[in-house]
Amino acid sequence: MVKLYREGSHTEEVGRALLSQIGELAQIAGWIASDAGRHEEAERIYKLGMSAAWQAEDRTLVGNLAGSLAYQYSNTGRETEGLTLARAALDQTGEDAPAKARALYLDRVAWAHTKAGEPQPAMRSLGEASEAWEANSVERESPQYLYWVEAGELQVMESRVYTELKRPLRAVPLLREVLARYDATHTRELALYLSWLAIALADANEPEEAAATAQRVIALSADIASERTAERVKVVLHRLEDFSDVPEVREVLDDAAQETQKGQRCTA
């Protein structure tokens, strides 16, 4: 697509359409690379997409790509950069952006504040995201590439913020509500969402339920190739170590340790 744009002959209108397509493809490719743990590659792809979207004068697409890169920054130890870029992504789209887009970008700002250790701004951003979402049904149509943004996904982000802020009484009901109606064929997402539920249950001093949920996370993660889900399994197991004297938790930890040892022997 990039080669077609650079070397082909086309009208200005077709050129903008090609640039938008480059931006949308970069969003997908960047997400795949990021999920696989190839963060430098993902950053390069996201920035390529941002450049293309900027040239196409598609501010909403610029904001989407910038927000995705900000999300990666926030999750990989670059919290200050993540917050700066998440705010810039929101500001870039402006007040006239589609409501669905603003809700998503505000949720990313909330997450960036959370990872930066700023709970009050995070909570405010969640409230603003909720207000933006409520306007979604009466606002103009959102871009097709935001098809996946729906109420359940925004609830998950909200619950993850609450979990990270150690507010399990808010996080657990939200996650259970989403998971009760979630499509079980979406294995990767289900594993991720359950991992947050396991952490929130542990924070709520419900180790037995946390252990049962952790077992589901581990079982689901074993069948998918995702660096992110693998990392979440490690986070969950680490959190459960605080309850290692609980039999149900001890069983999960011992089983995980045995699987790790087995894997090490196979690769030796």
Side-chain angles (χ1 to χ4, degrees), residues 95-161:
E95 292 291 337
D96 60 343
K100 180 183 284 191
R102 283 191 62 79
L104 172 61
Y105 305 161
L106 281 161
D107 264 353
R108 286 171 172 166
V109 170
W111 183 249
H113 277 300
T114 300
K115 298 298 287 184
E118 301 176 354
Q120 294 308 313
M123 301 286 281
R124 284 197 298 272
S125 295
L126 284 180
E128 292 172 7
S130 179
E131 291 175 4
W133 179 256
E134 289 173 1
N136 182 55
S137 60
V138 297
E139 290 282 344
R140 60 190 175 87
E141 185 177 355
S142 298
Q144 180 62 33
Y145 53 78
L146 295 179
Y147 70 93
W148 61 275
V149 180
E150 46 87 28
E153 295 292 340
L154 297 179
Q155 280 183 304
V156 168
M157 178 62 85
E158 185 176 358
S159 64
R160 289 174 56 204
V161 168

Side-chain angles (χ1 to χ4, degrees), residues 105-225:
Y105 305 161
L106 281 161
D107 264 353
R108 286 171 172 166
V109 170
W111 183 249
H113 277 300
T114 300
K115 298 298 287 184
E118 301 176 354
Q120 294 308 313
M123 301 286 281
R124 284 197 298 272
S125 295
L126 284 180
E128 292 172 7
S130 179
E131 291 175 4
W133 179 256
E134 289 173 1
N136 182 55
S137 60
V138 297
E139 290 282 344
R140 60 190 175 87
E141 185 177 355
S142 298
Q144 180 62 33
Y145 53 78
L146 295 179
Y147 70 93
W148 61 275
V149 180
E150 46 87 28
E153 295 292 340
L154 297 179
Q155 280 183 304
V156 168
M157 178 62 85
E158 185 176 358
S159 64
R160 289 174 56 204
V161 168
Y162 290 143
T163 302
E164 196 79 6
L165 295 178
K166 303 295 184 184
R167 303 194 180 196
L169 295 182
R170 295 189 182 190
V172 170
L174 273 174
L175 282 166
R176 281 179 167 162
E177 180 183 343
V178 172
L179 289 166
R181 61 176 185 270
Y182 202 77
D183 188 344
T185 63
H186 296 173
T187 308
R188 173 191 172 276
E189 287 74 18
L190 185 59
L192 288 173
Y193 300 166
L194 284 168
S195 77
W196 290 99
L197 178 58
I199 296 292
L201 287 167
D203 290 342
N205 199 31
E206 295 287 350
E208 294 85 1
E209 286 194 63
T213 304
Q215 285 182 320
R216 291 186 64 193
V217 175
I218 293 169
L220 290 167
S221 300
D223 297 327
I224 51 179

